Amino acid sequence: MPSSESGANGPAPAGRLDKSHKKLCHHSGSLPFGQQIVVPEISGPTYITAQILIQQVAYTLSDRLWTYSPETFDLDVAVKEWYKQGVANAHGYSTTVEAMQIRSGAANVALGYVFSPDFDLKKRHIPQSIIASSSSLRYLRGALDQLSLLYSIANPFVAHIAAVDYVGGTTPRLVTDYVSALSMAEELGLAVVSSFSAHESQHISLFATLLASIVPTIHLYDGLHVGRETTRVIDVLDQVGLYKTYQALHSQITGPGNKHASLDMTLQRLLNAFNDELGTDYGLFEYQGHPTPDSVLVAFGTVETSLASQVAQSLQKDGIKVGVINVRVYRPFVEEDFIKALPKSVKTIGVLGQVKNQHAVSDAGVRSELYGDVVAALTYSGDWSTPPNIVDIKYPREQVWTPVSIAAAFQLLVPKPLLSPRNTSEELEQQQGLQLVDPATVQQYTFWDTDGSSTPTAPVVIGQVLSTNSSNNVTVKTEHDNLVQGGLHRIDIRSSKKTVEAPFPIDAADVVYVGDASLLKQINVLENIRFGGKIILRLPGVKDDEVEKKLPVDFRKALTTKSAQLFIIDTQVIAAISDDASLETYLVQLAFVRVAYPNAEGIINQKLAGINGNSKILDNLTKDLEKALREVEVPADWESLDKDSEVLQLPSTISVNSFVSFDTVELEQPTLLKSWQIAAKGLVFKEAFSTKPSLRPDLPVKTFTVHVKENRRLTPLTYERNIFHIEFDIGTSGLEYDIGEALGVHAQNDEREALDFIEYYKLKPEEIVEVPSREDPQVLENRTVYQALIQNIDIFGRPPKRFYEALAEFADDAAEKKELLSLGGPEGAAEFKRRAEVDTITYADVLLEFPSAHPSFHDIVRIVSPMKRREYSIASCQKVTPTSVALMIVTVGWVDPKGRDRFGQATRYLHSLRPGTPVTVSVKPSVMKLPPNSTQPIIMAGLGTGLAPFRAFVQHRVLEKAQGIEIGPVLLYMGSRHQREEYCYGEEWEAYRDAGVITLLGRAFSRDQPQKIYIQDRMRETLDDIMDALVRKDGAFYLCGPTWPVPDVTNVLEEAIAVHSKKAGKKVDTRKEIEKLKDAGRYVLEVY
């Protein structure tokens, strides 16, 4: 929260700035302005986040609080601090907060506490609470099931669930996950209520806690966006007010009059009493929009309901007869109240229902949970002579809602176009007729910067400053993408005299700040600036005549199109910042104020001084601001792009995949050798030593144990290349995989080589090494030296340069030390390359070569890279072979200059496995996915073992055909050296062709005839078939194998596109058409 201005700091030395300034610490994105807050400060109008209000209710009213928050989610950041400080709850003692691990049986401890024989029965009426993310619900299921069955003798139990999960794949991201909670609530008989905004999150948390006196209840809210946004909430109850309200309403719903009432009736009575007590108007179902609509959208979820209401009201002003019913209480779904809320004029109902993923969206057999309830309610209603048409508008968890995408959902229900096209430059900043944020009354600012920036807190301080004006309503939202530019973040600030409810990214900013010019090549920042807006670009050391060269061509064009003003901030011109980089954050704050608030600069700078803690620093920097900040003229000719210039198609925002900045600091933990007796104590006294037995605990991914079922060679014994088929029995491991995914094999080093190294290095194989887990440095793992060399340490891998440099520190011999340093430096580049590529030297070789450099074993663990899993495309379809998984592998082997046989670590391990041998594996997602429709053709090109995923593809199409499903054409091209030796799975391919599944089998055996024939040659011979499948029938093309044929194969596809376009009388850019296919997922490469 805003801090008061500190006292006088005394004069600064001449020529230097006084450094006694505050350095703002950003504790968590869940906290208001990232700052810790104490319970007494939560009352009346205040700046807060929804998550903190929810934590306040849970802490105030609960006896005990169990939290299941992934480390960076910070769902419990406040309650843990309050418990640590001994803050009393409404019952006069500290609520016990237990931060739990997210694993199977995670909630059993809560059940054990509630039903313990020692439980204090005087507390039986006090609520017990859970704070968790929807991603953890599957681990809580068993306990919640038991609780539901025993609820008549249990405490009131409420779970505050942040609807957020993490999904991997080609674009890893955080997603809003309602479907997990809704499905579980239906199966276990739990009540579900939802908050529509941060402004009502405290009320609905309280309502959910009251409802828990009747039925176990889930309070579900958006944990990705709205839950973490700092905003001003007017009507906030303090701790005393919360408890008084709870007591008053609790006595009403638990009285004798409700003993025999139905759940639906008791729920309605509670809601009526709740509204009477607080002066609110909450409903089970809330309608907004046209009084006599033709079309109504039914929505559930925080962002969905908020945006749907605003869009419906905006469309109503244009005379469009639409409305929205927002579902507040989803379970129990009171059908009678839903029918009452639904206007009788409605002819079409759209149900905006979340499903798990895009596959479920495409699958006509999958319906959303909400759709089923709406259909049931209308089926048994007699209010319509002609029942309304019901449309299931499904969307995946990855969906990011904006006003335009919500309007698109309404468009599915309305024949008339809802949005006008964007015709003029002024219209670029918004869709006409859909202006949810009034630019005349709301100021909007967006800040873009890398996570390594020296000014990370500047936007938050600006938000705090704006919030000190009591007539302002300010919102601050931060989003992170850890996978771009080493981590970047976007911070949106809105400021208005009225409350602003805008749960979507700013798309028409008044001022945009970019802290690193390299971001201009990653993000289209000007897509989100209003016409005539201002942009501040940090460009240290760049002169005016050099600016143009630093700006991408399309960025320069967008500046002129948007009539934007460009300001450059140059931090290098201020000497004080060279001495103390932390001062740069103040310069950015001052620059922003001058650009955004030129008429109020003096007043706002005074407030900045109060928060930052030193007015003299800011006074001195303000004097230097004229040198550091300048406006650069935007020439009119920037609007004309050079014909040869490539225009980048950049995203206009980030893919949110983290709640924190990317952590670039990796602390190395010490590795200790211990005796077997100490390890044994950890195994015997597990609770005291926090010991957890685990399958390959060193691995950061979920692993499974499978057993070798079959291991057979596909090529003749006399042939130089050993390609083999290995199949694993899944058994009861629980391993599941999708078509196109890869199997990660966690291979082991060769036992004989490991023992030889142990003997040479004079190690004791049974000695214990204690290593901190790579997943969690707080967890220590005990392994023997032998186990570590077999499973953990890549001692027989190829060392990088940094290993030579690290090893030099241990060399006692001066000549060896000098040689090691040379190999690790630029002067030894040629020799290093020869050793790596010709001699194929390993870590073990180097340690044996330089005997004076003899690091201890725990130092070896530190400087030698860990072993990595080796991933292979899966060559089977689990729907066809549900209990097994198959791979197609070629053994990697060579002879080094010393005549030694060398082998690839993973292929050597796999080739040696015998049936029955256990193997540790994991599954990795892949870009190789079948098209959504079975009738879409698939064109596959596989070289060598690149055929593996296509075996799974074809097996799936065979299954579909057997089930009577219509399938599209299947074109398979394969390439290898000789038909006799390398026609792998040849009999299978021909059988599938004869069965009518494979419609074209193009085989290229390059060395079976005088002239070389490659896979692209076979493709060119059948150009008409490719053109028909790819272009006419919207097929998908896949290439798997080495990289070398990619240009030639792509040329064939371009030829097919060009021929088709010429026949159609069109002229197209074939390269751009290929790019379009890539974007649509219809041109997929998995090459190596």
Side-chain angles (χ1 to χ4, degrees), residues 132-210:
S133 66
S134 55
S135 60
S136 63
L137 280 177
R138 61 182 178 272
Y139 302 107
L140 310 181
R141 180 190 176 91
L144 292 177
D145 190 11
Q146 291 294 313
L147 176 69
S148 182
L149 295 172
L150 301 171
Y151 205 62
S152 60
I153 58 172
N155 289 63
F157 222 99
V158 59
H160 301 282
I161 303 298
V164 60
D165 197 0
Y166 184 87
V167 298
T170 54
T171 309
R173 62 169 52 191
L174 291 164
V175 298
T176 304
D177 176 24
Y178 295 114
V179 66
S180 297
L182 299 186
S183 300
M184 182 177 290
E186 169 68 15
E187 295 167 6
L188 303 185
L190 311 178
V192 179
V193 299
S194 173
S195 302
F196 294 170
S197 71
H199 302 278
E200 58 184 47
S201 57
Q202 187 194 50
H203 285 178
I204 302 306
S205 298
L206 174 58
F207 177 79
T209 308
L210 287 161

Side-chain angles (χ1 to χ4, degrees), residues 515 517 537-543 550 568-573 584:
L537 179 60
R538 180 178 169 274
L539 272 180
V542 177
K543 307 299 182 184
K550 296 291 183 180
I568 301 297
I569 183 168
D570 184 355
T571 55
Q572 289 188 2
V573 300
E584 188 172 343

Side-chain angles (χ1 to χ4, degrees), residues 848-862:
L848 271 58
E849 182 184 354
F850 297 93
S852 81
H854 196 88
S856 64
F857 189 74
H858 70 269
D859 283 320
I860 287 178
V861 172
R862 181 173 59 83

Side-chain angles (χ1 to χ4, degrees), residues 791-802:
Q791 296 181 340
N792 292 68
I793 305 169
D794 194 19
I795 196 71
F796 304 113
R798 297 184 186 182
K801 277 193 169 187
R802 64 176 180 273

Side-chain angles (χ1 to χ4, degrees), residues 21-26 447-461 485-489 491 513-517 519 538-540 569-572 574 576-589 612 621 661-662 664:
H21 54 276
K22 296 180 184 177
K23 292 187 178 180
L24 187 70
C25 182
H26 192 276
F447 295 78
W448 301 90
D449 214 338
T450 59
D451 288 345
S453 164
S454 58
T455 63
T457 61
V460 178
V461 172
Q485 199 75 13
L488 64 87
H489 55 265
I491 299 179
Y513 169 81
V514 181
D516 191 322
L519 295 180
R538 180 178 169 274
L539 272 180
I569 183 168
D570 184 355
T571 55
Q572 289 188 2
I574 300 181
I577 293 179
S578 301
D579 295 337
D580 184 358
S582 67
L583 297 177
E584 188 172 343
T585 190
Y586 306 129
L587 186 69
V588 170
Q589 295 167 27
N612 290 316
L621 288 174
S661 298
F662 181 70
T664 57

